Amino acid sequence: MTAPLDVSGSASEAQPEVVLTGAGQAVQGRSLTGIAWMRLRRDKVALTGGITVLLLVLVAVFATPIIALFGHPPLEFHQDMIDSSTLLPKGDFGGMGSEYLLGVEPVNGRDIFSRIVAGAGISLLIGFLATLVSVLIGTVMGVVAGYFGGWVDQVIGRLMDVFLAFPLLVFAIALAGVVPDKGFGLEGNGLRIAMLIFIIGFFSWPSIGRIVRGQTLSLREREFVDAARSLGARNGYILFREILPNLIAPILVYATLLIPANILFEAALSFLGVGINPPTPTWGGMLSEAVRFYTLPHFVIFPGLAIFVTVLAFNLFGDGLRDAFDPRAH
């Protein structure tokens, strides 16, 4: 029979320096926002879209000093740049040069660069505010439908179906034709902008409302909601303190994806002549005027490129946000 090994206490006991190795290092937990930001930083395409969106916003905010430094007033005519016989810009490429970076418009000689920069503010303003209206209405309707269910869900669901089936473009064209020059304390383009924000925002809420409803249906069955109910919490407390904070991420993601759609809709209305009144510069209005001068490609390309880059940047950034906040995507 083999005798047991004689293991000394010093050998059998763990050394203090081994146990305490790394004990001085703080272990930090990661929030959902921190994890999402880490994922977003790894997505170079989404970051590129986000940086482009930020630059577009800065251009819109500082449009006046940018135009003063690099262009001319967007409503100012420059007949000296127009050939009186053809009414086309003088020089190559539509008059592009150091003084007119993107050339000038036919007939009147207005600076295309200045008009594109000035039009960015209107497009982004309508896009952001219309999205805000849609998010507010869609969030309220979606949360109420998803949380209470039953006949409330049925009524709101059918209302969403009606709004989604509504011919929005036809309605916008008809309404724009009967809007007076003054009303509600506004006049001119101020009233037009308010009308476009209302039309686009009010009729676009069902898309985000359905998303919020689906998320609410899932959240109301979670353990923390049941715990709040068992403690006697009322419906208002559960909605605003338990459910809504967990909806911020999906709402932010889909709002980012809704902004480019609203920008495109505003451009389409301006292209059809029922948007902002000329001569105020808008990207859609510039495209509408450029149709007559198909022999000057730069007149069409630059406003079209502005719309394309804006919509693409928002979509790339929105897709990146969706992937960052969705743990199933990784």
Side-chain angles (χ1 to χ4, degrees):
M1 187 173 180
T2 305
L5 294 175
D6 186 12
V7 181
S8 62
S10 60
S12 62
E13 295 177 359
Q15 299 299 320
E17 58 270 14
V18 176
V19 176
L20 296 178
T21 299
Q25 299 176 357
V27 180
Q28 297 181 351
R30 290 178 178 175
S31 64
L32 176 62
T33 305
I35 296 174
W37 171 240
M38 180 183 65
R39 291 172 177 165
L40 186 62
R41 284 187 300 176
R42 295 174 181 172
D43 192 343
K44 304 303 181 184
V45 176
L47 279 182
T48 302
I51 293 172
T52 304
V53 168
L54 179 60
L55 291 176
L56 287 169
V57 172
L58 291 176
V59 168
V61 172
F62 298 102
T64 301
I66 290 175
I67 293 173
L69 288 174
F70 302 104
H72 301 79
L75 302 181
E76 186 175 273
F77 287 10
H78 300 277
Q79 296 296 337
D80 57 311
M81 293 293 298
I82 302 299
D83 189 334
S84 58
S85 59
T86 62
L87 298 181
L88 299 179
K90 297 178 181 178
D92 299 328
F93 305 105
M96 281 191 284
S98 58
E99 189 173 359
Y100 300 94
L101 298 179
L102 301 181
V104 297
E105 293 182 347
V107 181
N108 50 50
R110 292 180 297 198
D111 189 352
I112 293 179
F113 171 80
S114 299
R115 291 180 65 77
I116 289 178
V117 171
I122 294 177
S123 295
L124 292 179
L125 176 66
I126 294 176
F128 276 110
L129 292 183
T131 301
L132 179 61
V133 173
S134 299
V135 167
L136 291 177
I137 300 176
T139 300
V140 171
M141 302 295 277
V143 168
V144 170
Y147 181 76
F148 291 102
W151 67 269
V152 176
D153 188 18
Q154 291 292 328
V155 171
I156 296 179
R158 300 295 77 78
L159 186 63
M160 291 181 182
D161 293 337
V162 170
F163 272 81
L164 289 173
F166 201 83
L168 179 55
L169 184 61
V170 177
F171 177 77
I173 295 174
L175 184 60
V178 298
V179 171
D181 294 333
K182 295 182 179 180
F184 307 103
L186 302 172
E187 61 180 344
N189 282 325
L191 181 59
R192 285 272 174 173
I193 291 175
M195 178 200 68
L196 291 176
I197 292 172
F198 170 76
I199 292 175
I200 299 173
F202 184 73
F203 287 93
S204 300
W205 68 265
S207 57
I208 195 168
R210 284 189 165 185
I211 294 168
V212 172
R213 173 187 173 274
Q215 294 288 331
T216 305
L217 286 172
S218 175
L219 288 173
R220 74 175 186 179
E221 305 298 332
R222 299 286 292 273
E223 292 80 2
F224 62 88
V225 175
D226 291 335
R229 287 198 189 100
S230 64
L231 293 174
R234 299 188 178 185
N235 290 330
Y237 178 89
I238 295 175
L239 286 174
F240 289 100
R241 298 297 298 272
E242 302 292 343
I243 293 181
L244 271 181
N246 290 280
L247 292 173
I248 293 177
I251 290 173
L252 178 63
V253 169
Y254 288 99
T256 307
L257 295 172
L258 188 60
I259 290 173
N262 291 339
I263 291 175
L264 272 178
F265 193 79
E266 181 276 327
L269 291 178
S270 295
F271 179 82
L272 294 173
V274 293
I276 305 301
N277 293 323
T280 302
T282 61
W283 293 342
M286 293 180 67
L287 282 176
S288 179
E289 295 175 2
V291 170
R292 297 179 297 160
F293 302 95
Y294 55 87
T295 57
L296 298 175
H298 79 286
F299 195 17
V300 179
I301 289 174
F302 292 128
L305 191 61
I307 297 174
F308 172 77
V309 170
T310 302
V311 172
L312 180 62
F314 273 104
N315 282 330
L316 292 178
F317 184 57
D319 288 339
L321 279 180
R322 180 176 56 193
D323 294 340
F325 279 103
D326 187 3
R328 293 170 297 179
H330 298 270

